[in-house]
Amino acid sequence: MTNWNEVDTYAKEWIKEAGESIKKSFVQKITVESKSNPNDLVTDIDKATEKFFIHKINERFPTHQILGEEGFGNELEELSGTVWIIDPIDGTMNFVHQQRNFAISIGIYEDGVGMIGLIYDVVHDELYHAMKDKGAYLNDQPLPKLTNVKVEEAIIGLNTTWVVPNRRIDHSILTPLVRDVRGTRSYGSAALEIAFVATGRLDAYITLRLSPWDFAGGIVIIEELGGVYTTLNGKPFNLLGQNSVLISRPGLHERILKDYLNNGIW
Ligand code: 2AM
Ligand code: CA
């Protein structure tokens, strides 16, 4: 039997420790490389942070598996047992250009069920966290359950990429939604944008391609608050693949899917 309180305590200790190291790196020279395309960045700090978690987890919980963005963990084909899904720095472009608006994201899953979600906004020292059936918190503050709002009163997280011609969606599909909502915002860190839906700073978040480490921590927090997460086609997430993403307050999620995304057929 997994002692989830023990796992949670260590995960929080390590995420804070990793955050301290990342903050110290601000005064160092950081090595930046690009991955899948010139704007998909990785630094030596992303890699060192992922390796830090892997070392700690392997030492303390040798039976746990790890799926990390930078690939130093295990190669997983399924999610059986206890699996840590880690993004050492979500929002690397922000980390490089702004030294803010990035987060460490960790989701811990048991046989594919999200048990612990952690998103740490290092610069603001804000830890968003949840344990299954135990509520969600921002630092020590419990977060209230999410309730519906009207589209006309909603602020949605959306990158401008998806409202100009792009490879993943006919950009005109999102035009009516952008026109009808109160406002749109783009923060450049999926984990933080999901955390902002959890706290009500955003009412929904839409994006076209996220990997498991971008949302694994966030959806545990959202689930705990009664928020809803599906692909833009209204389907459940594939926790081991890339997904389009609609994460929202309940009610608003249904309305966006039905009235703006044609029930997921686009
Ligand atoms: P990352 O910084 O960990 O790569 C940027 O809008 C958001 O999308 C970030 O959370 C970023 O995560 C994520 N993202 C996912 N896949 C990406 C890709 N191929 N290129 C850039 N950002 C990506
Ligand atoms: Ca990352």
Side-chain angles (χ1 to χ4, degrees), residues 42-87:
V42 63
T43 74
D44 46 347
I45 311 300
D46 298 60
K47 294 178 190 175
T49 304
E50 181 165 311
K51 286 179 181 167
F52 164 82
F53 283 112
I54 290 170
H55 173 73
K56 292 287 188 186
I57 297 162
N58 283 340
E59 194 177 55
R60 178 65 55 178
F61 302 112
T63 61
H64 293 190
Q65 303 263 88
I66 303 154
L67 177 62
E69 173 168 20
E70 309 314 337
F72 299 114
N74 307 102
E75 279 193 26
L76 299 184
E77 268 152 36
E78 36 130 42
L79 282 180
S80 60
T82 306
V83 181
W84 296 55
I85 306 180
I86 299 178
D87 192 341

Side-chain angles (χ1 to χ4, degrees), residues 30-48 50 69-72 87-89 91-93 95-96:
I30 292 170
T31 311
V32 185
E33 296 163 59
S34 51
K35 295 192 284 187
S36 62
N37 67 64
N39 300 326
D40 184 7
L41 306 179
V42 63
T43 74
D44 46 347
I45 311 300
D46 298 60
K47 294 178 190 175
E50 181 165 311
E69 173 168 20
E70 309 314 337
F72 299 114
D87 192 341
I89 298 184
T92 300
M93 195 188 289
F95 170 67
V96 171

